């Protein structure tokens, strides 16, 4: 049987999932600032490329959840990249 949820519940779960996934760069940023150890730059660059491409799709399909998530992810990974390069 397929899990059936009402639209409101599935929207709330989507936004909670967005928060869990997109704010995962915060501990890496804090750790980078405290210890000087960073995530490999290749990982960050590939993540930024992927998020940018997802952002194009989310804007084209007018998907607010994915657009917000992609923007948050791009900002977080941009900050992480800046801690490496600066």
């Amino acid at each position: 049987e397929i899990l059936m949820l009402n639209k409101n519940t599935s929207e709330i779960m989507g936004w909670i999932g967005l928060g869990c996934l997109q704010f995962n760069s915060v501990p890496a940023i804090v750790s980078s600032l405290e210890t000087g150890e960073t995530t490999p730059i290749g990982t960050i660059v590939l993540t930024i490329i992927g998020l940018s491409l997802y952002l194009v799709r989310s804007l084209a399909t007018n998907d607010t959840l994915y657009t917000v998530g992609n923007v948050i992810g791009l900002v977080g990974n941009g900050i992480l990249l800046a801690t490496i390069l600066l």
Side-chain angles (χ1 to χ4, degrees), residues 14-26 66 69 72-73 77:
W15 285 98
I16 292 170
L18 173 142
C20 292
L21 292 173
Q22 297 305 333
F23 288 105
N24 70 0
S25 60
V26 172
Y66 276 97
I72 292 169
N77 280 280

Side-chain angles (χ1 to χ4, degrees), residues 49-82:
I49 291 169
L51 287 168
S52 297
L53 295 173
Y54 276 146
L55 180 60
V56 170
R57 183 199 173 274
S58 70
L59 291 170
T61 59
N62 201 24
D63 189 325
T64 304
L65 177 64
Y66 276 97
T67 300
V68 170
N70 290 326
V71 169
I72 292 169
L74 285 167
V75 169
N77 280 280
I79 292 169
L80 194 54
L81 185 60

Side-chain angles (χ1 to χ4, degrees), residues 22-53:
Q22 297 305 333
F23 288 105
N24 70 0
S25 60
V26 172
I29 293 167
V30 171
S31 176
S32 175
L33 293 173
E34 290 177 347
T35 66
E37 293 183 24
T38 62
T39 304
I41 196 165
T43 301
I44 297 168
V45 169
L46 287 172
T47 301
I48 289 173
I49 291 169
L51 287 168
S52 297
L53 295 173

